[in-house]
Amino acid sequence: MSNQLEKLAKLPLRDNLRGIEPYGAPQLDVAVLLNVNENTHPLPEAVRQAIADDVADAATGLNRYPDREFTELRERLAAYLGHGLRPENLWAANGSNEVLQQILQAFGGPGRTVMSFPPTYSMYPLLASGTDTTYIAGERSEDFQLTAASAARQVTSAAPNIVILCSPNNPTGTALGLDVVEAVYEAGRASNSIVIVDEAYAEFALAGTESALTLIPGRERLIVTRTMSKAFALAGARLGYLAAAPEIADALRLVRLPYHLSAVTQATANAALKHVDALLATVEDIKGQRDRIVAELKRLGLTPAVSDSNFVFFGGLEHSGHVWQGLLDAGVLVRDVGIPGHLRVTAGTEAETTAFLEALEALVGGTARPAPGLEG
């Protein structure tokens, strides 16, 4: 590895990329993979067959470029989201990470800034580096919460060109109140800030949690990003999208690569959106396993955060690194997010959840150390 780093250092790499490590969660061959917040339920057979059929149809025209405007997909996404959104309010790309990258390409860049509030999704600073946008790390309270007053005060002070709010937040799993989004949007008025609400896990939200989609009318600087990787169990298809004022899509057309969504990707997503009910049938089961994890972690004396997502962030561990390794030795891979005393686990199937809980109880028993402030 050191030899490779030495070779990399000799290349004329941009200065702001030197010393940065690429994004990457461990990809290990273990029985129970609960570290990257995938939907671990397999696609229903009917949906698999529908995708296979539509991709086969698309294959007959692969000698031609795909629909550059992915017209059918935007129509189906608008119908799925509702809230009065129309196809011109929608945009899609190869995963929500590419959507975010395109936003930073259009509104960030040299001399511009993007702000988010760690601990949050680790790709945000990497996307900033990749687009030569200066990253500003905001602050949360000790219990990882973010209030409207605090967020607005920080945005007013920093005057960033772009603000990213992750809701439900990754890795903590808790959704933001819409008052936070509204406060940040108003605080960014003076600096004309683009405000992104990353709702990758929105379909798993607790009852009563409202989406920022409701705030889009009249707010031309507000963008809500979503993905088909999580609730739709299509992580391997790479399809992310956004909803915003139509002029946002016009801006992204200036930076997107030609024909960036392949015919195969479009066919896969369109087939899936024809079977929304079947695909989302697993969401309630996942939420049930998530709530089961929260209850069992509390029983073990640990401190899970309130989760509006398909994963649980929990603290109270004396040696989180040792617990992570012990779980791995037991065939269960969870995520060490780099916060001492804490780990994050995806809510999987009932069998996967049972394997995690049994392995964890064998490791910590009643030895957990309380960490006030995170209780669900």
Side-chain angles (χ1 to χ4, degrees):
M1 177 60 73
S2 60
N3 186 43
Q4 284 299 108
L5 292 175
E6 291 175 4
K7 291 180 179 179
L8 178 61
K10 294 179 181 178
L11 294 177
L13 195 65
R14 287 194 342 235
D15 289 341
N16 71 315
L17 296 180
R18 293 188 180 279
I20 292 178
E21 294 185 5
Y23 175 86
Q27 290 186 309
L28 305 178
D29 184 16
V30 298
V32 182
L33 296 169
L34 300 176
N35 67 322
V36 289
N37 302 338
E38 296 159 318
N39 183 332
T40 65
H41 294 68
L43 288 174
E45 176 57 35
V47 180
R48 288 201 299 270
Q49 189 58 55
I51 290 173
D53 291 344
D54 284 14
V55 169
D57 288 343
T60 64
L62 288 182
N63 57 310
R64 301 291 186 181
Y65 287 116
D67 175 10
R68 185 173 56 234
E69 291 300 308
F70 41 97
T71 307
E72 180 184 351
L73 177 56
R74 292 167 74 199
E75 291 171 348
R76 291 189 179 279
L77 287 171
Y80 166 66
L81 290 180
H83 294 288
L85 294 167
R86 300 177 58 81
E88 54 264 34
N89 296 113
L90 274 294
W91 185 257
N94 296 283
S96 57
N97 285 322
E98 186 177 62
V99 172
L100 293 169
Q101 181 182 60
Q102 290 177 345
I103 296 170
L104 266 65
Q105 287 174 321
F107 300 106
R112 296 195 173 197
T113 57
V114 57
M115 182 178 198
S116 68
F117 299 86
T120 191
Y121 185 33
S122 60
M123 272 300 298
Y124 299 153
L126 293 177
L127 289 166
S129 296
T131 57
D132 207 4
T133 307
T134 299
Y135 179 73
I136 300 173
E139 296 180 349
R140 293 174 179 264
S141 60
E142 288 186 3
D143 62 356
F144 309 118
Q145 299 300 311
L146 183 65
T147 66
S150 173
R153 183 172 59 252
Q154 293 181 67
V155 169
T156 298
S157 175
N161 298 101
I162 303 168
V163 182
I164 307 179
L165 300 171
C166 191
S167 180
N169 187 45
N170 180 8
T172 58
T174 307
L176 293 172
L178 293 190
D179 61 325
V180 179
V181 180
E182 293 174 301
V184 166
Y185 190 87
E186 290 306 310
R189 190 176 296 279
S191 52
N192 205 29
S193 304
I194 292 291
V195 178
I196 305 167
V197 184
D198 181 351
E199 290 190 345
Y201 302 94
E203 286 89 350
F204 301 101
L206 294 166
T209 301
E210 294 184 280
S211 167
L213 292 170
T214 61
L215 301 179
I216 288 175
R219 293 181 173 87
E220 72 282 353
R221 294 179 289 107
L222 179 63
I223 301 171
V224 179
T225 60
R226 293 281 189 99
T227 182
M228 294 184 73
S229 293
K230 309 301 182 181
F232 281 82
L234 288 174
R238 312 309 303 130
L239 196 291
Y241 58 100
L242 66 74
E247 53 266 38
I248 293 294
D250 290 338
L252 301 191
R253 287 184 177 90
L254 301 176
V255 298
R256 60 105 176 260
L257 294 174
Y259 310 102
H260 70 287
L261 275 182
S262 76
V264 172
T265 298
Q266 292 184 46
T268 300
N270 283 322
L273 287 164
K274 295 174 189 175
H275 297 82
V276 169
D277 290 343
L279 280 169
L280 297 187
T282 60
V283 168
E284 289 305 314
D285 182 65
I286 292 168
K287 290 165 69 173
Q289 295 306 317
R290 173 199 66 198
D291 296 343
R292 177 189 171 203
I293 291 171
V294 169
E296 287 298 300
L297 292 179
K298 288 180 178 179
R299 183 181 65 81
L300 292 173
L302 299 168
T303 51
V306 175
S307 179
D308 285 275
S309 51
N310 71 333
F311 59 87
V312 178
F313 174 76
F314 61 98
L317 299 168
E318 286 284 1
H319 303 289
S320 54
H322 292 169
V323 173
W324 181 89
Q325 185 62 56
L327 289 169
L328 181 60
D329 292 342
V332 180
L333 180 61
V334 301
R335 189 68 175 268
D336 184 342
V337 294
I339 300 174
H342 295 77
L343 293 172
R344 190 195 71 194
V345 60
T346 305
T349 63
E350 181 178 3
E352 290 169 331
T353 299
T354 297
F356 161 71
L357 290 171
E358 290 179 349
L360 182 66
E361 182 164 15
L363 289 166
V364 303
T367 64
R369 171 177 53 83
L374 281 174
E375 290 84 352

